[in-house]
Amino acid sequence: MIHLRIRFIILCSCLLFWLNTGDVSANSIIATVGTDVTLRCKYDAVYYSTLPFCWGRGNIPNSGCANEVLKSDGTQVLSKVSERYALTGNLGLGEAFLTIRQVQESDSGIYGCRIDIPGWFNDQKHEFTLTVKPGRPFPIKVETREVRERTVTVRWTPPFDGGRPIRAYKVDLKYKYASWDTAKRTDVARAHLNQVTLVDLRPTKTYNLRMFAVNSVGMSEASNVLIFTTKEAAPEGPPINVKLQALSSDSIKVTWKPPGVELRNGVLRSYIVSYREYDLEAQQFKNWQQFSVTATSEEESAVLTNLKPSTQYNVHVQAKTNAGLGPVSTALFCTTLDEVKETTAATTLLSTAASTKLMQYTSLTNLPPDPPVIVLKEVTDNTISLSWTPGFEGDSPITGFYLEYKAANASWDYTEAIIDFSSNETEVTIIEMYPSTYNIRMFATNSVGTSKPSNVLNITIEEKGQQNSSSTMSTITEASVFAENRGGAHTTGIIVPVVLVVLIGAIMIGWQLRRIKHRGGSLNMWLTNRAVYDKGSEPLQEL
């Protein structure tokens, strides 16, 4: 009898355990940090009507819910431990869904749902095992702070990090209509930053920009895309194909094209044409004069008027946007035509008009170069330093220059000293042994012909003592190359020991006197490192 009772008690205990635990469903859910997770618990509300229920953390006990996080009477929430817990679903249909907002790794664990069904041992129970893993950061929300000609500054609010600290940001930048495959990526390694400035952009260009956040899990989805256009800047390039044409004795036509499209940096509004006159008496250029020309097409022109006849002018052009002026074009030189004198006779006027037209036509075709402008830099003792500025090159590039050098009281048609220079040389130094006054002028040459003579420099070498003369003679004997006039005299190099300087100098003087007399005044010039030295034994004024 006792054994039967014991067996009955064991059987009842097993039955109670089964009733309490056997009707429990189990589900596994895996979620990522920062997302919302919904645990679905449902009963037949049509049959039972609305029933009370609870949610807890941990295994479901014999009654109620362990570590209760939410409780409801079936129609509304009676209590909850955090705003992150919410009831979702239709309660009228028996949907007792628990949603956990922005889950963290600490939310991982077992959750239990108990539906209180009337009667003994018939509550409906559901258990869920939630595993929360870290994930990639959330996408960034980026915005433009400042846009300038060549820079853009953007800022953002750090996104949710996905459960792992953000390590860096990445910025993609591309032209508006280009593919993202062509984007230039910039890494922002300092994760604490929330602002960055991108540089080296092009003015008046439209760009697209997007960003990413990176943690140890991976890289976020792309942010929103910013579209912005940089501001205008001053042109980077000068006008091109600038040309000058002498139209008359008082006017010059200037033509040009705009800078290259990539160098304009905006909409060209106008051009500034600058010109200045060369003053022959003062041997220098006067102040610049300017006027503005509205930008209208891909080929522009302007006419300089009220100029002086037979006068050289220096001209350059600059392009302008609303942001400012660009660089100047290459400086060009042009000389106005000679002035034609008027007469009262009608036939003379007609002839003059025809001549002027012919001169204008000639100035536009087969043009030799304009003469260079020669300037005296310095006269020190017996040394003359000169420089020159090339003029308008004409119809073909300048191929060289030559210098004529004579005594002031001699004629240009008489014996001349001629020194040739290449097209890229612009200065020379002359060492003259004999005190006197000299005239110097230059010519430019191209494939068409030779320019008119330049302005003439009138230079005086003062008398010096015997010590200076000896010094000059010493310098001469150390030279190794000399250039002669166009008469075709042979060049000779003399290398002499220093100890025989005086003796050899005397011999050279006597030899040169005989040579000059024999050749009727031929003049030799020493040329070393572009320095020209007088080699003749007689003063130039005696030639």
Side-chain angles (χ1 to χ4, degrees):
M1 195 65 169
I2 295 175
H3 290 293
L4 290 174
R5 289 180 180 178
I6 293 174
R7 296 174 96 182
F8 178 75
I9 293 172
I10 292 174
L11 180 61
C12 290
S13 297
C14 291
L15 180 61
L16 287 172
F17 179 81
W18 177 82
L19 290 173
N20 284 315
T21 62
D23 190 22
V24 177
S25 62
N27 298 278
S28 294
I29 297 176
I30 298 175
T32 302
V33 171
T35 60
D36 293 347
V37 176
T38 298
L39 309 180
R40 300 175 181 274
C41 179
K42 187 175 181 180
Y43 64 94
D44 190 353
V46 176
Y47 179 80
Y48 293 110
S49 187
T50 56
L51 298 173
F53 59 87
C54 64
W55 281 92
R57 296 196 63 173
N59 296 114
I60 301 174
N62 293 333
S63 63
C65 295
N67 300 315
E68 187 176 87
V69 297
L70 184 144
K71 187 174 183 178
S72 172
D73 62 1
T75 60
Q76 61 181 352
V77 176
L78 298 179
S79 64
K80 58 182 178 180
V81 298
S82 171
E83 292 298 325
R84 294 176 54 235
Y85 298 108
L87 281 182
T88 56
N90 191 333
L91 293 178
L93 297 178
E95 296 176 348
F97 297 169
L98 174 67
T99 297
I100 307 173
R101 309 288 187 190
Q102 296 184 347
V103 294
Q104 306 294 325
E105 288 185 86
S106 59
D107 291 322
S108 297
I110 297 175
Y111 289 80
C113 168
R114 179 188 287 273
I115 308 295
D116 291 337
I117 297 177
W120 285 14
F121 311 121
N122 56 357
D123 287 349
Q124 186 175 324
K125 292 166 282 185
H126 301 274
E127 286 186 354
F128 302 84
T129 300
L130 175 62
T131 302
V132 180
K133 296 183 177 181
R136 300 180 298 168
F138 281 17
I140 303 171
K141 174 65 176 178
V142 62
E143 62 182 13
T144 304
R145 182 174 182 183
E146 183 183 33
V147 179
R148 305 186 70 178
E149 296 89 344
R150 302 176 189 277
T151 64
V152 61
T153 300
V154 296
R155 61 185 175 187
W156 62 92
T157 300
F160 178 67
D161 61 10
R164 292 292 183 269
I166 293 177
R167 293 181 173 181
Y169 296 99
K170 295 182 182 294
V171 185
D172 283 354
L173 183 72
K174 71 175 184 69
Y175 289 117
K176 181 178 180 180
Y177 297 107
S179 166
W180 283 112
D181 293 336
T182 66
K184 179 181 179 181
R185 174 161 290 182
T186 301
D187 292 326
V188 182
R190 298 180 181 179
H192 65 279
L193 296 179
N194 64 348
Q195 177 175 297
V196 68
T197 297
L198 303 182
V199 300
D200 294 334
L201 308 186
R202 298 289 304 165
T204 64
K205 295 294 184 182
T206 300
Y207 292 91
N208 288 353
L209 182 148
R210 67 182 183 182
M211 289 189 66
F212 302 86
V214 181
N215 67 4
S216 61
V217 177
M219 187 166 66
S220 70
E221 297 294 327
S223 69
N224 56 304
V225 176
L226 296 182
I227 302 175
F228 63 91
T229 301
T230 50
K231 295 182 178 180
E232 281 192 338
E236 288 183 57
I240 58 177
N241 294 342
V242 181
K243 296 181 180 179
L244 305 180
Q245 297 176 350
L247 299 181
S248 66
S249 61
D250 65 353
S251 63
I252 294 174
K253 183 177 181 181
V254 187
T255 59
W256 68 90
K257 292 183 179 181
V261 175
E262 290 300 315
L263 301 177
R264 297 179 188 180
N265 293 343
V267 178
L268 298 181
R269 304 296 180 181
S270 62
Y271 298 91
I272 301 299
V273 180
S274 302
Y275 64 99
R276 59 180 178 175
E277 169 194 341
Y278 183 75
D279 188 339
L280 282 175
E281 293 184 2
Q283 296 185 6
Q284 64 182 8
F285 282 102
K286 294 184 177 181
N287 293 333
W288 288 102
Q289 300 182 63
Q290 296 181 335
F291 63 92
S292 178
V293 178
T294 302
T296 57
S297 66
E298 290 298 309
E299 292 191 8
E300 305 283 358
S301 65
V303 177
L304 310 180
T305 58
N306 298 322
L307 307 180
K308 294 181 180 180
S310 304
T311 302
Q312 188 177 56
Y313 287 86
N314 180 204
V315 183
H316 65 234
V317 187
Q318 294 170 274
K320 184 179 181 181
T321 65
N322 286 335
L325 278 171
V328 298
S329 63
T330 302
L332 298 179
F333 299 86
C334 186
T335 301
T336 52
L337 301 179
D338 296 336
E339 186 175 23
V340 179
K341 296 182 179 180
E342 297 183 0
T343 64
T344 56
T347 56
T348 303
L349 289 173
L350 182 60
S351 175
T352 301
S355 298
T356 302
K357 185 173 182 181
L358 178 60
M359 285 192 298
Q360 292 176 359
Y361 175 78
T362 304
S363 70
L364 298 178
T365 59
N366 297 326
L367 287 175
D370 283 351
V373 177
I374 186 170
V375 176
L376 176 64
K377 295 173 62 178
E378 184 180 27
V379 177
T380 304
D381 296 335
N382 61 340
T383 302
I384 305 169
S385 296
L386 309 173
S387 67
W388 57 91
T389 303
F392 174 57
E393 66 181 13
D395 283 342
S396 70
I398 292 175
T399 57
F401 304 93
Y402 66 87
L403 177 147
E404 292 185 346
Y405 179 101
K406 73 174 185 65
N409 59 358
S411 170
W412 289 113
D413 296 328
Y414 196 55
T415 304
E416 304 171 354
I418 301 175
I419 307 300
D420 291 315
F421 299 93
S422 65
S423 60
N424 59 355
E425 292 181 280
T426 57
E427 60 182 22
V428 68
T429 299
I430 299 174
I431 299 180
E432 172 56 54
M433 286 178 56
Y434 300 101
S436 185
T437 300
Y438 301 97
N439 293 150
I440 297 176
R441 67 182 183 180
M442 291 197 73
F443 296 82
T445 60
N446 66 6
S447 61
V448 176
T450 302
S451 72
K452 295 180 180 179
S454 71
N455 55 303
V456 178
L457 297 183
N458 192 52
I459 302 171
T460 299
I461 302 296
E462 302 290 344
E463 286 279 356
K464 289 294 180 180
Q466 184 64 32
Q467 181 179 356
N468 289 342
S469 297
S470 299
S471 174
T472 302
M473 181 62 72
S474 174
T475 303
I476 292 171
T477 57
E478 291 173 3
S480 61
V481 182
F482 68 90
E484 299 188 48
N485 68 351
R486 291 189 177 183
H490 298 289
T491 61
T492 305
I494 303 173
I495 302 176
V496 183
V498 177
V499 294
L500 299 179
V501 167
V502 178
L503 179 60
I504 297 302
I507 295 173
M508 286 296 296
I509 289 172
W511 174 67
Q512 192 64 12
L513 280 172
R514 291 193 299 273
R515 193 176 181 191
I516 289 174
K517 290 177 181 179
H518 177 71
R519 296 174 57 227
S522 175
L523 178 67
N524 292 326
M525 307 291 290
W526 286 95
L527 180 64
T528 301
N529 295 328
R530 304 316 304 170
V532 182
Y533 307 89
D534 171 38
K535 187 189 167 196
S537 61
E538 294 181 308
L540 283 172
Q541 65 267 28
E542 296 179 7
L543 298 179

